[in-house]
Amino acid sequence: MKKRLKNGLMAAAIFGLVAGIASPATAADQSMDKPGLNPNQILNVAHRGASGHAPEHTLPAYELGEQMKGDYVEVDLQMTKDGELIAMHDETLDRTTDGTGLVKDDTLDEIKQLDAGSWFNEMNPEMAKAEYEGLQVPTLDEVIEKFGKSANYYIETKSPEVYPGMEEKLLETLEKHKLIGPNNPSSKVIIQSFSPESLKKLYELDPRIPLVQLLWYTSPATITDAELEQYKEYAVGVGMNHNQIDEAYVKKVREHDLLIHPYTVNEKEDMQKLLDWGVTGMFTNYPDRLNEVLKSRR
Ligand code: G3P
Ligand code: CA
């Protein structure tokens, strides 16, 4: 493991020298000097877009995320049978489209035939809009085509063990759109995953991209200094269910100079509490609510 990270860093140093830029000595070293990673700037992450208002992971949800001034739009990734990255939370099509079965068993053409919006109207009649009917599942490429560099992207590699080549395809897409690379601020993109293997692979491929380790606990969260130092080798921050943490947990993470972005925080009371505890940002389906809370604290 150490050797892999060392190799990644060496590659970055050589690349940095060639490109005339400095590369970070460790993952955490890059955190302070980039706008999205400044711990004093609370990050408002529009979770699956502004998914409290529009069907998750559709272009209207991402548009609302921008309009509501989310700092980043969150994009979960799955991969089709023919190797295309699409914006979708689940490994299966059933919940958020009128299709069924596994994403990995269908081609992009097949998935493009599906309706990714009507389920939202049925589930949320009070927010239903005719324009949501028949929405297509967007590819990552289409999302970036639409929002370009005006948006910041907080991208999750979902189920990477199911999708060999997912990380390479992701970096290829980001490079194509010049969102990463020597002349681009790498904090335009943050990559997150529950899979340490996926993040370590990404770190090896390009150690300049900020990475966030997502964590899952089955009971109230505890975390050790040793664990946090391990994450720091490749990540700039951690994210976890906000219901599983307390003030001491947040303090401990911050003592290690890691960012902490809990998910998914939808109630103003919880937002206030987490901000009091010292989190550096959070995922929310309601970026408008979080901005109201942040404004009330200025
Ligand atoms: O990525 C942060 C949060 O979204 C993780 O949970 O299941 O909503 O992707 P999930
Ligand atoms: Ca996610």
Side-chain angles (χ1 to χ4, degrees):
M1 168 55 221
K2 286 260 186 211
K3 193 164 171 231
R4 288 177 64 203
L5 292 182
K6 226 169 156 183
N7 289 344
L9 283 171
M10 202 173 287
I14 292 165
F15 184 80
L17 282 176
V18 171
I21 57 165
S23 51
T26 70
D29 281 349
Q30 65 181 319
S31 64
M32 300 304 286
D33 60 345
K34 290 172 186 151
L37 306 179
N38 178 344
N40 299 314
Q41 179 197 333
I42 303 298
L43 276 201
N44 182 340
V45 185
H47 183 246
R48 312 183 193 176
S51 60
H53 299 277
E56 68 183 58
H57 292 313
T58 61
L59 294 181
Y62 296 140
E63 256 166 8
L64 274 178
E66 274 225 307
Q67 280 167 26
M68 292 176 173
K69 303 203 182 306
D71 297 308
Y72 281 74
V73 285
E74 196 225 8
V75 183
D76 291 321
L77 292 182
Q78 303 284 340
M79 204 168 177
T80 64
K81 188 177 178 180
D82 47 347
E84 297 298 330
L85 294 177
I86 59 167
M88 188 171 287
H89 177 272
D90 299 1
E91 262 179 69
T92 55
L93 299 160
D94 305 50
R95 182 177 63 85
T96 57
T97 75
D98 57 350
T100 56
L102 294 166
V103 171
K104 74 178 177 65
D105 290 342
D106 280 354
T107 63
L108 180 60
D109 274 355
E110 288 165 333
I111 289 171
K112 281 289 184 185
Q113 309 304 315
L114 304 176
D115 175 346
S118 292
W119 70 272
F120 180 88
N121 287 351
E122 285 153 26
M123 296 282 290
N124 308 280
E126 72 291 356
M127 285 185 285
K129 289 190 178 170
E131 70 202 61
Y132 296 158
E133 286 167 23
L135 284 172
Q136 286 189 332
V137 173
T139 62
L140 176 64
D141 205 46
E142 287 165 346
V143 175
I144 302 175
E145 286 270 340
K146 177 157 180 64
F147 297 98
K149 286 190 180 170
S150 74
N152 298 310
Y153 304 91
Y154 205 129
I155 300 172
E156 180 176 352
T157 55
K158 280 272 179 219
S159 315
E161 64 287 351
V162 176
Y163 304 118
M166 180 181 232
E167 292 83 4
E168 287 86 349
K169 179 76 180 176
L170 169 56
L171 296 193
E172 189 188 299
T173 307
L174 297 174
E175 271 163 26
K176 178 179 135 188
H177 291 280
K178 300 192 169 33
L179 284 171
I180 57 171
N183 299 317
N184 296 288
S186 57
S187 57
K188 293 236 39 105
V189 175
I190 298 173
I191 304 179
Q192 48 164 339
S193 188
F194 284 101
S195 162
E197 291 75 24
S198 183
L199 292 179
K200 287 173 189 171
K201 182 172 181 182
L202 286 159
Y203 187 72
E204 192 175 354
L205 290 167
D206 188 342
R208 293 164 305 169
I209 302 172
L211 305 174
V212 168
Q213 178 67 62
L214 297 176
L215 302 167
W216 175 252
Y217 299 97
T218 47
S219 49
T222 54
I223 200 155
T224 65
D225 294 322
E227 277 174 80
L228 287 162
E229 284 305 307
Q230 257 185 358
Y231 300 141
K232 234 177 135 169
E233 288 194 15
Y234 56 90
V236 299
V238 289
M240 69 301 298
N241 186 317
H242 75 96
N243 287 311
Q244 295 173 320
I245 58 173
D246 58 15
E247 186 168 10
Y249 184 103
V250 175
K251 196 159 167 267
K252 190 156 198 170
V253 171
R254 291 298 299 128
E255 278 167 3
H256 286 259
D257 285 329
L258 282 160
L259 301 173
I260 176 164
H261 298 159
Y263 58 83
T264 303
V265 192
N266 292 329
E267 300 305 325
K268 285 186 172 181
E269 205 175 275
D270 291 324
M271 293 170 181
Q272 293 280 15
K273 183 179 70 183
L274 290 162
L275 291 167
D276 289 343
W277 289 353
V279 302
T280 58
M282 62 191 86
F283 295 81
T284 177
N285 297 344
Y286 300 93
D288 48 340
R289 281 186 200 168
L290 179 53
N291 276 326
E292 283 168 27
V293 167
L294 290 171
K295 211 167 157 190
S296 74
R297 297 170 67 94
R298 282 183 200 128

